[in-house]
Amino acid sequence: MEHLKHLNAMQREAALHKDGPLLIIAGAGTGKTSTLTHRILHLIKEGVTPSEILAITFTNKAAREMQERVDVLLEQHGFGAGLRHGLPATRGFPAEAGDARPFIGTFHSLGVHVLRAHAQVFGLTKHFTILDKSDALSLIKEAVKAEGLDSKQFSPDRIAHVISGQKGNLVTLETYRADAGNAYFPLIVSSVWERYEKLLKREGGLDFDDLILKTVILLRDNEDIRNAYLKRWKYIHIDEYQDTNGVQYELARLLAGDNRNICAVGDGDQNIYSWRGANIKNILNFEEDYPNARTILLEENYRSTQTILAAANDIITKNTVRKDKNLFTKNAKGEKISIIESYDEGAEARAVGEKVKGIIAGGESPQSIAVLYRANFQSRALEEAFLMMGIPYQVLGVRFFERKEVKDILSFIRAGLNPESLSDIKRVIDVPPRGIGKATLAKMFANDVASLAPGAQKRVQDFKKLLESIRETALSEKTSKLIKFVSEKTGIEASLKTGTDEDNDRLENIHELVTLATKYDILAPEEAIEKLLADAALASDQDSLIKNESAVKLMTVHAAKGLEFPYVFVTGLEQDLFPHRRMSEARVSKEDQEEERRLFYVAVTRAKKKLFLSYASVRTIYGQRQVNAPSEFLSDIDDAHLEHETADSDHEPVIRIEW
């Protein structure tokens, strides 16, 4: 088996398995993509038609990487002619092997592929529109309004979240309505959902959730169509199986059919998306769902040092809901893990910055370094420190001052101070929704408010009074109080208190803006707010100038999944921040506790050479300084793997807690 010679024994065993269900438990850094791509190569060498192979993963990045690696392998082994999807092979593949390469894509791209071919079943054309989350939310808002509901009382965001969650759990409108009974809020959701579906039909489109849900319904309810795909795809591969939700699980089951040639690859210890509907039970129960399944453990890690892996094993073994495995490596022992203790978030950011500068001065590229955090708002202090220290960086995700909720708050202030700023007025005039649409806005901008209906005139006048009150507050109160005033007076804060993770993140970002604003409180009000607005604009401008890929990466731990870096900093390791506890939660469930530990495990296993863990004794959240205990996760790691250091600070000494 010359083509499998680069695989280790367990990887080779997985690649050689052909018929029947296969579960590959692939720990972090154990070469799962290499195993999966070589398995596809081996199937083709065994005579399987390339177009009979299906491989599904979750992200476009992962799908592209897998496709590229499969293409390279097939080219290397003489199957290059079949690589151009949809074109006849002229050499390499035998004539009867078909005309296409394996189908490798995401669940959503698979849904699009299937639904385009059978769009008429749902009254669509093959050119149906795919609505992104923003477009879908706009229709939900329209549906709420059409049902005569108050969007402040019945948040479109919350209703959209419910509908999306139900679709992800394979629940249709009809099923949801039947189960709702006489419950008040579910009845409201049902009415909005029905209106929303009508609007989708009017648009001739589907939302992201429909792409998978409709595909499942199509295959489940149409035997001929299902059988056609069972004949086409005879070998199914599902990557990141631990992240599948109810509808994705059912799609995989339908495609596996009676021959059950399904290969599920994943790691329950990296299940970190339950808030998105991912069900860890799908991977834990695989052997029950497929009784004759072969299970293979990939435990040899090729990424990290022995020290980092030992710490990772210490962390994850504290969880009880998992399949037991123990990562090991032939790599060097490596350096100890550094624990950086700082007084506050500013000192922490500076300490991280100094370490980063030292690594770069030692000859390492900035792009070899990643700084991770649990919540988006934490990036603000880090960005500020990196800007001051001249460290090139790139935020994966939206930069702090470019986040919608932050821009909305600042736009309200700019519009209050400068009523001629039409772009700011246009941005916030209906944030949150207050019934001022495009027609009314056009009349406002044309100074023709008098021609509006009395109700519309009142809404415009109320908005102008709101801006006037913001102006008065900006010129008379401390900046931090102004931010709180805008957040509350405009209704933005109330609109975000819906309980969804996305809304909670946005609320935390607004609270972080209050914390940032306290820096300006020592100045006179007018001078302070002008400086804050100028600093915000300057930070955005500087960020936009950093085009070079050679930059330190800043991102949440969730965003880091699937990535690896020689040097990794995990910041904000404080109790109630990481592990995270929502402000609205009185206690955290066991399931949430274990997921937080899995998230920390993912963070630790991103590091290849050196890992830094940091925390602050004091952190300011929503303008309030609070003393924090170090994260319980730090005490999970054997002290033999750690080295402690205290960051220099102009403030009080850090609160040192030994474990």
Side-chain angles (χ1 to χ4, degrees):
M1 297 294 177
E2 184 71 15
H3 59 289
L4 303 180
K5 67 179 182 180
H6 299 298
L7 303 183
N8 65 36
M10 301 310 293
Q11 291 173 332
R12 192 178 303 115
E13 188 176 336
L16 288 170
H17 181 277
K18 185 179 180 184
D19 295 316
L22 173 66
L23 175 62
I24 304 174
I25 302 295
T30 57
K32 66 164 183 157
T33 303
S34 180
T35 303
L36 203 50
T37 54
H38 278 83
R39 174 180 159 78
I40 291 172
L41 170 65
H42 183 70
L43 286 172
I44 294 171
K45 275 190 166 287
E46 287 290 296
V48 175
T49 302
S51 59
E52 291 177 340
I53 299 172
L54 174 70
I56 299 301
T57 188
F58 276 79
T59 67
N60 291 326
K61 176 182 178 297
R64 283 194 301 270
E65 179 184 354
M66 192 182 300
Q67 184 72 73
E68 289 167 1
R69 291 174 71 167
V70 166
D71 287 352
V72 168
L73 282 175
L74 295 182
E75 287 276 10
Q76 289 175 345
H77 291 273
F79 297 107
L83 295 183
R84 294 192 61 195
H85 185 74
L87 296 179
T90 56
R91 61 177 176 81
F93 295 121
E96 65 272 14
D99 58 17
R101 59 185 177 182
F103 187 107
I104 299 173
T106 64
F107 274 102
H108 289 97
S109 66
L110 172 64
V112 172
H113 178 81
V114 173
L115 293 174
R116 292 259 190 240
H118 304 283
Q120 72 281 358
V121 174
F122 299 102
L124 299 167
T125 71
K126 66 178 183 179
H127 302 296
F128 63 80
T129 300
I130 300 170
L131 284 78
D132 62 22
K133 288 187 176 181
S134 177
D135 295 331
L137 181 59
S138 294
L139 289 190
I140 294 284
K141 290 176 179 177
E142 186 176 340
V144 168
K145 184 178 179 181
E147 288 298 305
L149 300 171
D150 182 355
S151 61
K152 293 181 181 178
Q153 183 180 1
F154 301 103
S155 165
D157 285 285
R158 184 182 180 192
I159 293 174
H161 182 75
V162 171
I163 293 173
S164 178
Q166 293 299 318
K167 288 184 176 183
N169 283 324
L170 195 53
V171 177
T172 62
L173 168 60
E174 293 72 26
T175 304
Y176 182 79
R177 177 182 283 129
D179 292 341
N182 295 319
Y184 182 62
F185 184 68
L187 286 175
I188 294 295
V189 172
S190 296
S191 66
V192 174
W193 191 346
E194 182 175 13
R195 178 79 64 168
Y196 172 58
E197 292 296 335
K198 290 178 180 177
L199 293 174
L200 281 171
K201 189 172 183 179
R202 182 195 71 187
E203 298 288 326
L206 300 173
D207 62 28
F208 276 1
D209 298 304
D210 286 330
L211 297 178
I212 306 176
L213 177 61
K214 298 287 190 186
T215 302
V216 168
I217 292 172
L218 177 75
L219 298 179
R220 184 192 65 194
D221 297 347
N222 297 270
E223 185 178 359
D224 290 344
I225 294 175
R226 181 173 69 252
N227 287 337
Y229 283 105
L230 289 175
K231 289 180 180 178
R232 174 177 176 182
W233 291 316
K234 295 179 181 177
Y235 291 89
I236 312 300
H237 303 77
I238 309 295
D239 192 18
E240 303 288 7
Y241 196 73
Q242 78 280 351
D243 291 335
T244 53
N245 61 17
V247 72
Q248 291 159 343
Y249 166 87
E250 182 63 12
L251 179 56
R253 190 191 68 80
L254 287 168
L255 290 171
D258 292 334
N259 64 18
R260 298 188 159 197
N261 288 334
I262 180 172
C263 171
V265 187
D267 179 11
D269 290 337
Q270 297 186 70
N271 170 269
I272 59 173
Y273 294 114
S274 67
W275 49 274
R276 222 163 56 183
N279 189 346
I280 193 173
K281 292 181 180 178
N282 291 347
I283 194 167
L284 296 179
N285 296 341
F286 185 88
E287 289 137 319
E288 295 179 22
D289 295 333
Y290 301 93
N292 298 320
R294 179 76 176 277
T295 299
I296 295 174
L297 293 181
L298 301 185
E299 298 174 292
E300 183 174 357
N301 178 284
Y302 295 92
R303 175 187 300 161
S304 306
T305 65
Q306 292 179 20
T307 298
I308 292 169
L309 284 191
N313 287 329
D314 286 346
I315 293 158
I316 203 62
T317 52
K318 297 292 176 68
N319 275 6
T320 58
V321 182
R322 63 187 295 264
K323 286 184 178 291
D324 191 39
K325 68 176 184 303
N326 192 62
L327 295 182
F328 69 92
T329 185
K330 296 175 184 175
N331 293 339
K333 184 177 181 180
E335 298 181 54
K336 286 189 174 184
I337 298 166
S338 293
I339 305 288
I340 304 173
E341 306 162 76
S342 304
Y343 174 71
D344 60 13
E345 67 270 27
E348 178 189 47
R350 291 191 295 274
V352 169
E354 289 295 342
K355 289 289 184 185
V356 167
K357 286 182 69 174
I359 293 169
I360 295 171
E364 296 287 351
S365 167
Q367 65 192 28
S368 70
I369 306 167
V371 182
L372 312 182
Y373 35 83
R374 176 61 181 84
N376 275 313
F377 77 84
Q378 292 172 254
S379 75
R380 196 272 305 167
L382 291 162
E383 290 184 68
E384 186 176 76
F386 279 30
L387 280 170
M388 290 181 62
M389 300 170 82
I391 299 171
Y393 71 91
Q394 176 188 3
V395 179
L396 268 70
V398 184
R399 286 186 292 268
F400 182 78
F401 286 114
E402 291 186 350
R403 289 169 182 138
K404 178 184 183 304
E405 56 279 5
V406 173
K407 292 181 73 172
D408 287 346
I409 295 288
L410 297 181
S411 281
F412 267 115
I413 295 172
R414 281 193 292 264
L417 293 172
N418 179 17
E420 300 300 317
S421 179
L422 299 185
S423 61
D424 285 314
I425 291 174
K426 183 178 180 180
R427 177 181 180 87
V428 300
I429 196 166
D430 212 34
V431 177
R434 52 176 56 86
I436 301 179
K438 292 181 179 179
T440 301
L441 187 62
K443 295 277 188 180
M444 277 184 60
F445 285 176
N447 293 316
D448 190 22
V449 176
S451 66
L452 292 170
Q457 288 188 43
K458 184 179 186 305
R459 287 190 289 273
V460 170
Q461 291 303 319
D462 288 344
F463 179 74
K464 289 183 176 180
K465 288 178 181 178
L466 172 62
L467 293 185
E468 289 170 4
S469 67
I470 290 173
R471 176 184 174 84
E472 291 172 3
T473 305
L475 298 178
S476 62
E477 298 287 353
K478 291 182 177 180
T479 310
S480 59
K481 186 172 181 179
L482 168 65
I483 304 298
K484 290 182 181 181
F485 176 87
V486 174
S487 174
E488 294 167 5
K489 190 75 172 177
T490 60
I492 290 176
E493 179 152 355
S495 72
L496 295 176
K497 290 182 176 178
T498 62
T500 70
D501 284 83
E502 183 176 359
D503 286 346
N504 196 59
D505 262 355
R506 289 179 174 179
L507 198 55
E508 287 182 336
N509 287 332
I510 291 175
H511 293 177
E512 180 65 3
L513 185 59
V514 175
T515 298
L516 170 63
T518 58
K519 288 177 46 181
Y520 300 83
D521 284 349
I522 60 172
L523 302 174
E526 185 171 2
E527 180 186 359
I529 189 57
E530 291 292 352
K531 182 165 177 51
L532 170 60
L533 293 174
D535 287 351
L538 181 62
S540 294
D541 289 341
Q542 288 186 2
D543 286 347
S544 66
L545 291 175
I546 302 174
K547 303 292 186 182
N548 195 333
E549 288 185 0
S550 184
V552 179
K553 302 298 186 288
L554 274 59
M555 70 190 87
T556 65
V557 181
H558 282 100
K561 187 169 179 288
L563 304 178
E564 59 182 41
F565 302 89
Y567 301 89
V568 170
F569 293 79
V570 186
T571 62
L573 280 163
E574 299 133 34
Q575 205 62 21
D576 294 340
L577 180 55
F578 199 0
H580 191 271
R581 180 175 66 86
R582 291 187 191 176
M583 287 173 271
S584 59
E585 288 179 336
R587 60 186 299 274
V588 181
S589 68
K590 183 177 184 297
E591 290 78 10
D592 286 343
Q593 289 175 339
E594 294 216 346
E595 179 153 340
E596 284 294 306
R597 184 171 278 105
R598 292 195 295 269
L599 188 60
F600 183 48
Y601 172 80
V602 166
V604 167
T605 54
R606 298 312 93 198
K608 298 170 70 175
K609 290 175 63 175
K610 174 70 176 180
L611 176 65
F612 301 84
L613 307 176
S614 75
Y615 69 89
S617 299
V618 175
R619 190 173 294 271
T620 307
I621 298 178
Y622 199 26
Q624 300 294 318
R625 295 174 75 78
Q626 59 189 47
V627 177
N628 306 299
S631 170
E632 64 188 77
F633 295 153
L634 295 174
S635 62
D636 290 341
I637 304 173
D638 190 323
D639 202 49
H641 307 313
L642 305 175
E643 57 183 9
H644 296 259
E645 56 185 276
T646 301
D648 292 334
S649 175
D650 298 330
H651 302 283
E652 302 170 29
V654 298
I655 298 171
R656 178 76 176 270
I657 297 179
E658 300 289 351
W659 43 78

